[in-house]
Amino acid sequence: MTGQSTLDDASASLRAGACDYLRKPFSLDDLVAIVLRAVESAAAERKAHHDAQVTRARLMKAEAETARMRRRDVVTGLPNAQALPDALASLGEMQVALLMVRLDGLHVATDAGWRGLHDRLLADAADRFAGIAGRERLYALHDAAHFAVLLNG
């Protein structure tokens, strides 16, 4: 609010962050209208800031889930070939054996158009291997037609 109103003063005030400019003399209705606009503007800014924070949090969660999914086989839910090098590196000096298992003949189900059967057979095989070796030591490789099992050396 100012008693000396020029266009330069108003422009400088708005550039400095004022949400409005009130010249003297003014009515109470003018003052109330400006204050209401300022309150609405501040509320809208708070909402926009909150919405941006929520969007960022959702994006971070989605990115983490995407990274996790990239390291898992879709059919079996097992860690995949991308997860295996990290698992091997984390073992350090521990001696382990790496057993590679290939399931032959599954292409017949896929070639016949029975992708659902193919997937059920893979999931069943993964469950059976996991029952023996443990899920934390079992990896699905190459569209899950191959499995890698880390065994204690």
Side-chain angles (χ1 to χ4, degrees):
M1 151 176 38
T2 182
Q4 301 174 350
S5 60
T6 66
L7 188 55
D8 290 338
D9 290 338
S11 179
S13 296
L14 293 172
R15 277 194 309 270
C19 65
D20 210 329
Y21 190 82
L22 183 62
R23 295 181 345 187
K24 287 182 185 175
F26 57 86
S27 70
L28 185 56
D29 290 340
D30 291 341
L31 179 60
V32 168
I34 287 174
V35 169
L36 287 176
R37 279 195 306 266
V39 168
E40 289 171 0
S41 175
E45 284 182 33
R46 281 192 305 277
K47 182 180 180 330
H49 179 72
H50 176 264
D51 290 350
Q53 285 180 320
V54 168
T55 299
R56 264 191 303 277
R58 286 181 182 158
L59 179 60
M60 289 173 61
K61 184 178 178 182
E63 286 172 346
E65 179 64 13
T66 300
R68 186 192 70 75
M69 288 174 59
R70 258 190 248 120
R71 301 173 63 80
R72 293 270 170 194
D73 178 69
V74 176
V75 175
T76 64
L78 294 172
N80 64 17
Q82 290 184 357
L84 184 57
D86 292 339
L88 292 171
S90 72
L91 295 173
E93 298 291 322
M94 181 188 290
Q95 291 187 356
V96 295
L98 181 62
L99 173 66
M100 303 294 290
V101 179
R102 179 174 179 226
L103 302 178
D104 286 332
L106 288 178
H107 65 84
V108 174
T110 305
D111 293 347
W114 299 333
R115 184 63 191 202
L117 174 61
H118 174 268
D119 291 351
R120 282 196 306 271
L121 291 170
L122 283 176
D124 185 53
D127 288 342
R128 289 173 185 234
F129 288 138
I132 296 167
R135 285 190 97 67
E136 68 280 353
R137 293 290 183 108
L138 183 61
Y139 296 83
L141 311 174
H142 308 294
D143 195 23
H146 297 78
F147 292 91
V149 184
L150 292 176
L151 302 170
N152 291 335

